[in-house]
Every structure is written in structure tokens, then in C-alpha cells.
Amino acid sequence: MPKEPKVVGDILKDKKMTAAYMDYCKRRYCLNEFMFTQNKGNPESLWTRYMDQKKGKEPVNITSKTHLAAKALADKGDFKSGDWKKIIETGKKEVVLMLNKDVMGFTGSDEYKKYVAENGMGDPQKAAKLLGITDVKKLKEVMVNVAVDDRKTAEKLWKELAKKEKILEDYKAISSSLKKANLV
């Protein structure tokens, strides 16, 4: 089982966990905050997209001190100033500190549970071969939902897959088989 993250930096060490975190951020309406911390764009693009609190496409929560320092340079059109590096760095640190406060929210989320299930379960390819199934992607979805105990979704997906693959076994039998084989 993967190590539970304590800060955003821990999440970034694992690409799959980062993808799950991005899904979480999207649902929580803070994806722009996370994307700002990862964006290596130039000062003008970062200002117009994230830091401009009034006209920014995806404004982020930074302190007024940082915003005003950026605004002073932007109002002059001075995007070549060396001060931008420190302003952007400070803004990103402020946003990361805010995001770090919600890492526990992420580790308790469905997105994280799904990530853990996917990384703790057996190989869907092996399971598909064992069960004689050709649609590995759909089987993986079933397996993940069985692993996170979302019986309703798993059963629905299994019915679709069983119909497509012309399998007679019902959901209860298949979930039991997957558990016995230590695949979920």
C-alpha cells in the first residue's frame, strides 16, 4: 500500500497519486490553485491567468501583499523585472501552504480511496485472462469498485461487462472469485 501523503510535495512524487489529487482538486474547485503551483510560465502569463484578482482567468488565493507587488509591476507593463521571480515564488509558496492544509481531506476522499485500491489490487490483465474477458479496461473498473466497496457501481459495471462478454456468472460470484484470487 502506498505511503499516505502529508503535504502536496508527497503527492507529487507519484504520478498516479498526482492524477487522483487533480481529480480531487477539480471536484473541490481548487484545480487552478494546484495548476498555478506547477506552472513554469513567464511572469506575464502567470499574472494574466492566475495572479490578477480582478481579470485573471483562474485567480488564485495569494496574500494582498503579494498581489499588490505583482500588480504594481503589471500596471507598469514591466514583465521583465527581476522582482517577478521572488513575487511568483512567494505566491506559489502561499498557495502550497493553503493546499497542504487540505491534504487530509484528499486522503479521506473517494479519489484517494480509488487510487489506493488501484495500486493495491492485482493485475487486471491477469484477472481478465483468468476469467476469459477481453475488455480489460472495463474489468479494471469493476475491480476498483469492488476494492473500494462500491457494490452498486461494481454490480452495474459487471452487468454491462457480462452482457458484452456473454458471461453467465453473476456479480456476487465474480466478486467472490476476484477476492479469493487476491485480485481485489
Side-chain angles (χ1 to χ4, degrees), residues 19-56:
Y21 183 67
M22 289 175 70
D23 288 341
Y24 171 76
C25 286
K26 186 184 289 183
R27 181 173 59 81
R28 301 271 299 162
Y29 300 103
C30 62
L31 184 60
N32 60 322
E33 314 281 342
F34 177 71
M35 296 308 290
F36 170 64
T37 67
Q38 301 305 301
N39 194 317
K40 294 178 180 16
N42 63 45
E44 186 172 9
S45 69
L46 292 173
W47 166 256
T48 57
R49 185 168 185 176
Y50 301 110
M51 299 176 83
D52 185 346
Q53 301 296 304
K54 289 196 167 62
K55 298 177 190 168

Side-chain angles (χ1 to χ4, degrees), residues 9-171:
D10 295 342
I11 295 169
L12 293 171
K13 293 175 184 173
D14 182 326
K15 288 181 182 180
K16 290 180 181 178
M17 190 187 304
T18 300
Y21 183 67
M22 289 175 70
D23 288 341
Y24 171 76
C25 286
K26 186 184 289 183
R27 181 173 59 81
R28 301 271 299 162
Y29 300 103
C30 62
L31 184 60
N32 60 322
E33 314 281 342
F34 177 71
M35 296 308 290
F36 170 64
T37 67
Q38 301 305 301
N39 194 317
K40 294 178 180 16
N42 63 45
E44 186 172 9
S45 69
L46 292 173
W47 166 256
T48 57
R49 185 168 185 176
Y50 301 110
M51 299 176 83
D52 185 346
Q53 301 296 304
K54 289 196 167 62
K55 298 177 190 168
K57 295 174 187 161
E58 302 173 65
V60 296
N61 291 316
I62 53 176
T63 63
S64 59
K65 181 181 176 183
T66 304
H67 173 258
L68 291 173
K71 185 176 180 344
L73 290 173
D75 286 348
K76 290 190 263 180
D78 186 2
F79 291 103
K80 301 282 186 213
S81 171
D83 294 340
W84 276 108
K85 183 177 182 183
K86 181 147 179 59
I87 293 168
I88 291 168
E89 193 176 285
T90 302
K92 287 183 177 187
K93 283 180 184 174
E94 293 168 358
V95 171
V96 167
L97 285 173
M98 182 203 58
L99 291 172
N100 282 343
K101 291 178 183 176
D102 189 38
V103 170
M104 282 182 60
F106 169 60
T107 58
S109 72
D110 289 343
E111 291 87 354
Y112 184 73
K113 289 175 188 169
K114 182 179 176 188
Y115 158 79
V116 170
E118 284 179 356
N119 288 289
M121 69 183 192
D123 182 7
Q125 297 260 347
K126 182 179 174 184
K129 193 173 186 179
L130 185 79
L131 299 169
I133 294 174
T134 58
D135 191 344
V136 177
K137 187 177 179 184
K138 190 66 118 181
L139 179 61
K140 181 179 178 184
E141 290 179 48
V142 172
M143 290 171 67
V144 167
N145 284 287
V146 168
V148 297
D149 290 328
D150 184 353
R151 181 185 169 101
K152 186 177 178 183
T153 305
E155 202 165 345
K156 178 182 173 252
L157 292 168
W158 175 253
K159 284 180 182 177
E160 292 170 10
L161 183 61
K163 184 177 179 181
K164 180 181 173 190
E165 300 272 344
K166 296 180 176 82
I167 298 172
L168 300 176
E169 286 185 87
D170 66 348
Y171 168 77

